[in-house]
Amino acid sequence: MKPLFSRRAVAAAALAVCGPYAAFAQQAPSTLAPVQVQGHYENSVGSSDAASQGSVNAALIASRPTERTGEILEFVPGLIVSQHSGDGKANQYYLRGFNLDHGTDFATFVDGMPVNMRSHAHGQGYTDLNFLIPELVSRIDYKKGPYYADEGDFASAGAARLVLVNKLPAGIASVTVGGHQFIRSLVANSMPVGSGQLLWALDVAHNNGPWLNPEKARKLNGVLRYSQGTSDDGFNVTAMGYSARWSATDQIPVRAVNAGVLDRFGAVDTSDGGSSSRYSVSAALRKRNDWGLFEANAFAIRSSLDLFSNFTFFLDDPVNGDQFQQKERRTVYGANASQTWNMKLGPLDSANRLGVQTRFDRLAPVGLYLTTARVPFATVRQDQVRENSAGVFFENTTQWLAKLRTVAGARWDRYTFNINSNIAANSGSTSATIASPKLSFIVGPWARTEYFANWGEGFHSNDARGTTQTITPKDLLPTTPVTPLVKTRGSEIGMRTEIIPGLQSSLALWRLRIASELVFVGDAGDTSASRPSKRHGIEWNNHYVAGNGLLFDADFAVSRSRYSQDDPAGNFIPGSIEKVASLGATVTDYGPWSGSVQLRYFGPRPLIEDNTVRSASTVLTNLRIGYKVNAKTRVAMDVFNVFNRKASDIDYLYDSQLRGEAAPVSDRHFHPVEPRTVRVSLTHSF
């Protein structure tokens, strides 16, 4: 679901048009002089350990029009971000043959703080990025596959680490307005305080969306950050706050739209929606010592969610309806530390990194309740959860020959789960450990081309409540607890080349096996553990600087996903993505003008295990035109869904029952993309 002018659309509109954000990662001095952008991705030969690893700089983040805050992850090549509910809810993610639901198997961090929420009320690995202010992101470091010793839970398909700026090149004051009563205002600045920098930002937004049931989304974000020193010898302390309320238009059945009973932008249950909040304090330190580089960070997060959904309408309860509330109150503490040092293995240069990662989640409570118009009338389950984890990793990089190096690593993780449930039989404690070896070979470069071979094991954790559950909460039937930690195993071969001047091109062929798939269950709005699965695919990414401020991006991904254990129902994985393409062009300096256009293709997916029902594809085009009024003031216009295509943001197949229907109906349920939408932003630097 796409807000009219996403924070980043505004950011990008405000600053891609202006250009100062290109210098964020380098902590440029306070100046409004135009910045000549030479490239979008910092993926040059010799910069990574896999063809699918890379970094996105602030210039690209500021250059593209986007509708949702969570779409900042679409800068990871091959990753798709969509939505099937209100703006305050976490997005839906797709990558490498996965329907990642709300984040399972893709790990996301902001300034070292985990975004994925384990044992979440709505879904395992729930990744809500609405607390982020995109204008404050200096870069995105992304990895794909379980090949990296410092990445643990949820990172089997990949991981993204978003890094915030310490200092702005100039203060920002921006206002964005658009259709459907979208308005967003941002003010941010940084200033010297003592021997460091104080950064602050306040972001307020409202949006009704195109829905017949107005979304009434209200969001408030704030950031306060103090930093000292340099990237290799300094520290920062950051406080972040976020609060939101919204009404939701969830996915709707095709049959109701075809019969004229429901408008394409209508809702079956107009009382769906929710509220969420997130408050955090974090600190990070990087310091050179006699050994090498010491890094440490610690964080405390307090979050809440009240989410009201109704996906099956009147299937379970013809009188009260099937709306339910998912509620949680969570506190998260964590700390990480690592030491890097160089050494000699005989005549060979070698570098080592040893680290420890800890995290402690307290949920009190996490619950599921039956509701009507947001009023609870029954408790399905309510739990107190304590989930603790500790991981230790080691990684060694050795230069064996002038054109051959290896990266060998391993990690060991231990989890403990303690659940106190209102259903006594589901209470209990358990623990699990898992070891994950990694190995990579990097060969070259020859003719500005290098080659990679990567292999590794990883894992994802399952919901803590499932590890001790012996009775199903709704039906009170016997069930078997799930495996706490599920092993994954992946491999990849690839290459990266700059043999053509101005072009960075990478090609990766990958495979991934998972011991137990997590699959979306439409009538419950949740995920469940299922059969083992296997995936493989190919990715081809291209980033070309044509000169004179003209840049092109072209990314393509094809994948195949199947259950590896046969079943008469079929072996296709519902919702698994098969084809993705993204094409973009950016003009950074054409006199006072700038602009960009981005086309995104999201291919059809199987909606049922036997592949007899498939979704349609979705093709969207977004456009930005910017004009620099003077050295300090810029205007930008963003147009989303330029060709006003009627397509789906998401599709599911499951049983539901509308009021008046005599029996459940198996039907495709969809959430439409928003129609053509225009937003205009005015940004002033001070």
Side-chain angles (χ1 to χ4, degrees):
M1 60 201 323
K2 306 182 162 193
L4 285 169
F5 232 40
S6 103
R7 320 168 196 267
R8 181 174 28 144
V10 177
L15 294 177
V17 169
C18 53
Y21 284 87
F24 275 0
Q26 288 74 35
Q27 302 300 305
S30 293
T31 174
L32 293 174
V35 174
Q36 295 296 322
V37 180
Q38 296 301 317
H40 282 164
Y41 290 83
E42 298 170 2
N43 298 345
S44 59
V45 170
S47 66
S48 64
D49 297 327
S52 58
Q53 181 184 3
S55 293
V56 181
N57 63 33
L60 179 58
I61 296 171
S63 71
R64 281 186 190 170
T66 55
E67 288 189 284
R68 310 178 180 103
T69 304
E71 285 181 8
I72 195 168
L73 288 182
E74 284 198 347
F75 290 110
V76 177
L79 194 151
I80 292 291
V81 179
S82 69
Q83 182 59 280
H84 71 94
S85 188
D87 272 355
K89 185 179 177 181
N91 295 101
Q92 199 90 4
Y93 306 99
Y94 296 82
L95 178 71
R96 286 202 162 184
F98 281 93
N99 173 356
L100 293 163
D101 196 30
H102 295 290
T104 304
D105 291 305
F106 188 83
T108 305
F109 302 84
V110 172
D111 251 23
M113 291 185 292
V115 182
N116 302 72
M117 292 300 169
R118 53 202 193 183
S119 305
H120 190 270
H122 184 68
Q124 181 71 341
Y126 189 83
T127 302
D128 184 358
L129 280 168
N130 281 301
F131 69 91
L132 187 68
I133 300 178
E135 289 88 340
L136 302 186
V137 177
S138 68
R139 74 176 190 274
I140 304 171
D141 298 325
Y142 64 86
K143 308 170 183 175
K144 299 179 190 176
Y147 323 127
Y148 306 93
D150 58 344
E151 304 295 352
D153 199 4
F154 304 122
S156 295
R161 292 182 176 268
L162 291 76
V163 181
L164 301 182
V165 300
N166 289 329
K167 177 183 176 182
L168 293 170
I172 308 165
S174 71
V175 176
T176 302
V177 295
H180 313 300
Q181 298 184 31
F182 179 89
I183 184 168
R184 185 226 183 192
S185 59
L186 167 71
V187 59
N189 201 4
S190 58
M191 63 195 72
V193 173
S195 57
Q197 285 283 328
L198 180 66
L199 170 73
W200 58 269
L202 184 65
D203 175 17
V204 183
H206 174 274
N207 185 26
N208 276 344
W211 321 110
L212 299 186
N213 179 40
E215 191 170 2
K216 301 177 184 176
R218 291 154 288 173
K219 300 181 183 181
L220 175 64
N221 284 332
V223 173
L224 189 64
R225 180 181 181 93
Y226 182 75
S227 61
Q228 279 189 17
T230 65
S231 60
D232 278 356
D233 193 0
F235 73 90
N236 62 66
V237 180
T238 306
M240 305 179 74
Y242 159 75
S243 178
R245 294 179 178 274
W246 68 95
S247 295
T249 294
D250 285 319
Q251 64 257 24
I252 57 176
V254 169
R255 65 184 184 277
V257 176
N258 290 343
V261 175
L262 200 62
D263 186 89
R264 181 175 176 81
F265 297 101
V268 177
D269 191 333
T270 57
S271 65
D272 287 352
S275 61
S276 65
S277 66
R278 183 187 187 279
Y279 303 94
S280 67
V281 177
S282 62
L285 169 71
R286 287 170 61 91
K287 188 172 183 60
R288 290 285 173 185
N289 54 30
D290 292 340
W291 285 58
L293 178 65
F294 176 76
E295 301 172 271
N297 76 298
F299 52 86
I301 304 168
R302 176 68 175 170
S303 65
S304 68
L305 176 73
D306 288 282
L307 183 63
F308 299 88
S309 307
N310 187 348
F311 301 137
T312 54
F313 317 125
F314 294 92
L315 184 148
D316 292 331
D317 190 335
V319 177
N320 298 303
D322 296 351
Q323 189 185 75
F324 55 90
Q325 177 189 10
Q326 292 167 312
K327 173 181 179 178
E328 71 163 55
R329 302 292 183 266
R330 177 188 300 262
T331 303
V332 183
Y333 301 102
N336 309 303
S338 68
Q339 175 69 50
T340 302
W341 70 96
N342 297 324
M343 60 179 289
K344 285 283 190 179
L345 291 177
L348 305 177
D349 292 325
S350 184
N352 302 289
R353 187 180 180 207
L354 177 65
V356 60
Q357 300 166 340
T358 62
R359 176 173 170 178
F360 311 92
D361 289 65
R362 302 289 185 271
L363 290 93
V366 53
L368 176 63
Y369 314 91
L370 302 182
T371 59
T372 298
R374 301 198 187 189
V375 178
F377 65 86
T379 298
V380 178
R381 72 177 302 167
Q382 180 172 289
D383 302 273
Q384 312 284 328
V385 174
R386 289 181 295 166
E387 181 172 347
N388 305 326
S389 65
V392 178
F393 69 88
F394 175 77
E395 190 172 74
N396 169 268
T397 301
T398 298
Q399 192 76 42
W400 298 93
L401 300 170
K403 296 184 182 296
L404 170 65
R405 75 176 186 274
T406 60
V407 182
R411 65 177 295 125
W412 177 87
D413 291 270
R414 178 174 176 80
Y415 278 62
T416 61
F417 309 88
N418 185 284
I419 295 87
N420 183 9
S421 178
N422 66 325
I423 303 173
N426 289 338
S427 297
S429 300
T430 188
S431 63
T433 60
I434 194 167
S436 306
K438 326 275 184 174
L439 181 62
S440 297
F441 293 86
I442 302 93
V443 181
W446 290 283
R448 299 192 60 78
T449 303
E450 61 184 344
Y451 305 88
F452 307 88
N454 310 94
W455 176 88
E457 293 184 350
F459 70 97
H460 67 231
S461 62
N462 274 325
D463 191 300
R465 292 166 291 179
T467 65
T468 60
Q469 180 173 300
T470 59
I471 295 177
T472 59
K474 272 191 174 183
D475 305 320
L476 301 180
L477 298 175
T479 187
T480 302
V482 300
T483 302
L485 305 178
V486 177
K487 182 173 286 294
T488 63
R489 181 178 290 114
S491 59
E492 179 178 311
I493 58 173
M495 61 174 289
R496 172 171 290 140
T497 183
E498 296 176 352
I499 194 169
I500 299 175
L503 174 66
Q504 291 180 356
S505 185
S506 64
L507 184 70
L509 288 80
W510 59 270
R511 297 178 63 89
L512 184 67
R513 291 181 176 269
I514 299 182
S516 176
E517 184 78 16
L518 290 174
V519 178
F520 182 83
V521 181
D523 59 359
D526 209 341
T527 55
S528 64
S530 185
R531 291 176 274 164
S533 64
K534 57 184 179 182
R535 291 172 168 81
H536 64 264
I538 183 171
E539 296 171 335
W540 184 31
N541 304 320
N542 303 274
H543 314 296
Y544 180 58
V545 180
N548 299 319
L550 181 61
L551 306 99
F552 296 97
D553 298 300
D555 301 319
F556 307 93
V558 179
S559 58
R560 184 182 188 273
S561 305
R562 298 289 189 273
Y563 290 116
S564 55
Q565 192 177 82
D566 288 335
D567 190 286
N571 292 335
F572 286 80
I573 302 174
S576 56
I577 193 170
E578 296 175 344
K579 297 181 181 69
V580 172
S582 178
L583 304 173
T586 303
V587 178
T588 59
D589 186 10
Y590 191 74
W593 296 94
S594 62
S596 67
V597 61
Q598 192 75 23
L599 181 147
R600 183 194 77 171
Y601 169 79
F602 180 17
R605 288 88 61 201
L607 299 182
I608 190 169
E609 286 87 343
D610 63 9
N611 198 36
T612 55
V613 182
R614 293 175 62 84
S615 72
S617 61
T618 297
V619 181
L620 296 177
T621 305
N622 296 334
L623 173 71
R624 162 168 300 136
I625 299 174
Y627 182 77
K628 183 168 62 176
V629 178
N630 55 47
K632 292 189 175 183
T633 306
R634 293 162 177 82
V635 178
M637 179 181 72
D638 285 2
V639 184
F640 302 98
N641 193 4
V642 171
F643 300 107
N644 202 30
R645 295 181 62 92
K646 292 184 177 180
S648 295
D649 239 352
I650 203 161
D651 294 275
Y652 300 112
L653 182 73
Y654 58 84
D655 292 347
S656 66
Q657 188 169 341
L658 297 168
R659 188 185 292 278
E661 291 182 328
V665 178
S666 179
D667 196 5
R668 185 168 63 88
H669 297 71
F670 76 103
H671 191 268
V673 300
E674 295 194 14
R676 183 189 298 118
T677 303
V678 179
R679 298 177 184 168
V680 177
S681 63
L682 173 67
T683 299
H684 181 73
S685 301
F686 62 91

